[in-house]
Amino acid sequence: MADFGKKASGASVDYLGIKNADIYWNLSPEELSKIAIEKHGAKLTSTGAITVDTGEFTGRSPKDRFIVKDDITKDAVWWGDINIPFDSDKFDALYNKVMAYLNDKEIYVRDSYVCADPEFRLNVRSVTEYSWSNLFAYNMFLRPEDSELEGFEADWHVVAAPGFMADPEVDGTRQSNFAILNFSRKIALIGGTGYTGEMKKGIFSALNFILPHMKNTLSMHCSANVGKEGDTAIFFGLSGTGKTTLSADPNRKLIGDDEHGWSADNSVFNFEGGCYAKTIDLSAEKEPDIWNAIKPGALLENIRFKPGTNEVDFENGEVTENTRVSYPIYHIDNIQVPSVGQNPKNIFFLTADAFGVLPPISKLTPGQAAFHFISGYTAKVAGTEAGIVEPVTAFSACFGAPFMPLHPTVYAEMLSKKMQDAGVNVWLVNTGWTGGPYGVGSRMKLKYTRAMITAALEGDLKEVEYITHPIFGLAMPATCPNVPVEVLNPVNTWEDKAAYEAKANELATKFNKNFEKFSEYANDEILAGAPKATQSA
């Protein structure tokens, strides 16, 4: 057994149960990239980034994500199809098998941390079978100074062994892959999958339990930026709603693009030290920040090259539509350093409504904000998945249900209280369709959406007249700078008003049907935020 790289004097992984392995500690991105090309199947791209194939799994496997049910979690976790219980003894046995698998191998260890606010810092030691998994940990977690490595003690561990395959009948898993959180042992154990997002979302899920349950701090699946006057804005939104695009503003500094906390002391802080962005159909025109960040040190996943070159073909979805790139946040120029802001002044819930009935922007009451936060609505359109031929509603509680161990109303009630205490404006922004549903209407123009968000951020919607939507109860501004008046009230964009009313009632009914599973846990204020179906629009 030999150690290489930078580490605290006396540091080892013996206590984890790994024996007779060559351990590479805290290697640089350059060193990890070189090893990945030489030993782990990575390829060099024309920009200097490397690319890897993650194997059978090119995305998360939600049905194979488990939480150990023990004294810490048994009465706190919202158990069900999302948070699936795992036996503690089974975990211990599986963990020992993974450690035995890692014995006698070359192992890569990364000491890093999460939570940019020092009060909530959580040290994370990532132990990975592959060098490129360790590069992902370098990119995505926060990077301590070399001087901080001396005396580093891990609060949590991520163990990623893609080559280890579980035996479901013996190990208690569903199939050969698994991602298991153990809050007593403070370990995220991952095996059978090379998809690096499991590492990131494992720690995110842990924080989504620790911070609200133990630290009185709201954890959020959102992006955030800050203006020149120090005003923070938060953007929630599911895939395809424009979260990354709209939070990347040349006039505002990026705090982070995906995971944040909002503390009792009013700081909004990034959990991470990097970005993990989708790259399908990426172009310099659409996403200049992401495009320019794909340089040495970045890690691309499951892309393909243009024939005869090592130039990435971003339009190629041959392997998956979920092509990705991870890179450290310092690959972007316009960032907040450190990644911390103050109390937000504005929060935006982004939805791509393919039914074409939600207003392009509306102001929410605290109860409505909690209702829409719990609902986490967007819509899938034809062509996004096999079998979808017309718009389909998609609800993901708290805009990130797969990563939320607690009941969604816990996060929603925290958000509602913090919003009221801070006097935050909460806006619902429809980046989807107008003038009719998908196939009839058209996608909301990006320039209009940007203009509406800018108006909200600059206070230009503070004194304008508002009209209440008769079905959803949303307050719609009657005017907005640089946006045509007729766009602001969706019924005015439809030629057939009766068809609009029918479609609005249809969507309202879907909202209320989805919310039934949460209603017994919700207070009266949240319940009052629900739409009122059957009313005339």
Side-chain angles (χ1 to χ4, degrees):
M1 179 176 177
D3 286 334
F4 307 91
K6 297 176 291 188
K7 69 181 183 73
S9 55
S12 80
V13 290
D14 288 356
Y15 68 97
L16 293 175
I18 299 175
K19 307 296 183 184
N20 302 318
D22 289 336
I23 311 296
Y24 292 83
W25 293 82
N26 299 304
L27 298 186
S28 69
E30 293 78 15
E31 291 170 318
L32 290 169
S33 296
K34 184 173 185 291
I35 294 171
I37 292 170
E38 292 174 351
K39 297 183 178 182
H40 297 138
K43 296 177 182 178
L44 186 67
T45 74
S46 60
T47 66
I50 64 169
T51 180
V52 298
D53 282 358
T54 61
E56 178 184 357
F57 295 95
T58 59
R60 292 180 303 102
S61 185
K63 292 183 179 180
D64 299 298
R65 172 212 183 250
F66 306 92
I67 296 176
V68 173
K69 193 170 188 177
D70 55 22
D71 289 342
I72 292 175
T73 60
K74 63 182 181 180
D75 296 324
V77 167
W78 188 41
W79 302 106
D81 293 339
I82 293 173
N83 298 307
I84 305 168
F86 200 84
D87 181 76
S88 182
D89 290 339
K90 288 285 189 183
F91 177 90
D92 291 343
L94 179 59
Y95 174 85
N96 290 336
K97 288 174 70 173
V98 174
M99 294 306 105
Y101 168 81
L102 293 175
N103 285 344
D104 303 311
K105 287 184 169 58
E106 291 184 345
I107 304 300
Y108 302 86
V109 178
R110 170 71 48 195
D111 289 336
S112 52
Y113 66 99
V114 291
C115 300
D117 186 329
E119 182 179 347
F120 302 98
R121 174 170 172 162
L122 197 75
N123 284 346
V124 177
R125 176 165 285 164
S126 300
V127 179
T128 66
E129 179 181 4
Y130 298 152
S131 54
W132 47 264
S133 302
N134 207 258
L135 177 60
F136 180 84
Y138 172 89
N139 287 343
M140 296 310 304
F141 299 141
L142 289 155
R143 296 157 288 276
E145 300 292 336
D146 286 353
S147 60
E148 296 178 274
L149 292 177
E150 188 61 44
F152 183 94
E153 293 185 7
D155 300 305
W156 266 76
H157 291 83
V158 175
V159 178
F164 176 88
M165 300 297 166
D167 181 344
E169 291 187 7
V170 175
D171 298 322
T173 58
R174 187 179 71 97
Q175 50 186 25
S176 60
N177 64 301
F178 54 88
I180 310 172
L181 285 179
N182 188 321
F183 283 93
S184 292
R185 297 187 64 173
K186 299 181 179 179
I187 295 170
L189 183 65
I190 302 162
T193 172
Y195 181 65
T196 56
E198 296 284 15
M199 299 171 62
K200 160 189 163 73
K201 292 306 185 187
I203 291 298
F204 182 44
S205 297
L207 290 171
N208 285 332
F209 181 87
I210 295 166
L211 293 179
H213 188 57
M214 303 174 179
K215 302 285 188 180
N216 193 31
T217 290
L218 177 63
S219 55
M220 304 176 292
H221 187 210
C222 67
S223 60
N225 63 25
V226 60
K228 295 175 182 176
E229 303 302 319
D231 57 301
T232 300
I234 291 173
F235 299 81
F236 291 93
L238 298 171
S239 179
T241 59
K243 181 176 63 172
T244 300
T245 299
L246 293 169
S247 62
D249 186 328
N251 296 313
R252 300 174 65 84
K253 292 184 177 180
L254 182 69
I255 297 175
D257 82 326
D258 197 43
E259 302 173 3
H260 293 81
W262 186 358
S263 75
D265 293 331
N266 303 327
S267 71
V268 172
F269 56 95
N270 195 353
F271 290 167
E272 302 181 301
C275 302
Y276 190 44
K278 287 187 176 181
T279 61
I280 194 71
D281 294 326
L282 180 69
S283 69
E285 294 73 29
K286 288 181 183 177
E287 300 283 2
D289 284 339
I290 298 174
W291 181 270
N292 293 326
I294 303 176
K295 53 190 177 184
L299 174 66
L300 287 151
E301 295 177 10
N302 302 311
I303 57 87
R304 286 295 177 262
F305 293 131
K306 294 180 179 178
T309 76
N310 67 341
E311 182 181 348
V312 177
D313 181 359
F314 288 109
E315 295 179 1
N316 190 321
E318 172 187 330
V319 180
T320 177
E321 292 287 308
N322 190 38
T323 52
R324 293 271 183 171
V325 63
S326 66
Y327 51 85
I329 197 168
Y330 61 75
H331 277 200
I332 296 176
D333 293 330
N334 196 28
I335 59 172
Q336 175 84 341
V337 181
S339 302
V340 181
Q342 296 304 308
N343 254 351
K345 292 188 176 180
N346 291 279
I347 295 174
F348 299 92
F349 295 160
L350 307 176
T351 180
D353 175 28
F355 294 86
V357 299
L358 290 180
I361 188 167
S362 51
K363 193 173 183 180
L364 306 184
T365 66
Q368 289 171 336
F371 177 87
H372 283 275
F373 182 65
I374 293 171
S375 298
Y377 165 70
T378 192
K380 299 175 183 177
V381 298
T384 57
E385 291 182 10
I388 294 180
V389 295
E390 60 183 34
V392 174
T393 52
F395 295 98
S396 183
C398 308
F399 297 96
F403 325 117
M404 305 294 176
L406 305 176
H407 194 280
T409 53
V410 173
Y411 306 99
E413 288 179 6
M414 286 188 75
L415 176 67
S416 183
K417 184 179 187 305
K418 294 185 75 62
M419 183 188 77
Q420 292 181 71
D421 290 346
V424 181
N425 296 312
V426 182
W427 309 87
L428 181 66
V429 175
N430 176 18
T431 63
W433 274 256
T434 183
Y438 173 81
V440 176
S442 58
R443 191 81 188 253
M444 185 65 62
K445 291 183 178 180
L446 180 58
K447 68 176 182 179
Y448 291 162
T449 301
R450 287 194 185 279
M452 288 181 277
I453 287 176
T454 297
L457 290 170
E458 295 182 354
D460 293 335
L461 301 182
K462 188 175 181 180
E463 303 296 336
V464 303
E465 177 189 356
Y466 281 84
I467 301 167
T468 301
H469 193 284
I471 293 174
F472 282 88
L474 304 169
M476 307 177 291
T479 59
C480 177
N482 301 311
V483 180
V485 171
E486 62 272 15
V487 170
L488 296 169
N489 188 337
V491 70
N492 294 333
T493 67
W494 284 55
E495 291 186 12
D496 187 337
K497 311 304 182 190
Y500 175 84
E501 179 185 337
K503 190 61 72 174
N505 275 301
E506 178 187 344
L507 182 59
T509 300
K510 291 178 183 292
F511 263 93
N512 292 334
K513 180 68 175 175
N514 171 73
F515 202 80
E516 287 177 358
K517 58 182 174 286
F518 306 119
S519 59
E520 66 177 294
Y521 302 93
N523 61 31
D524 290 342
E525 184 179 44
I526 295 175
L527 294 173
K532 307 296 188 291
T534 76
Q535 293 186 30
S536 172

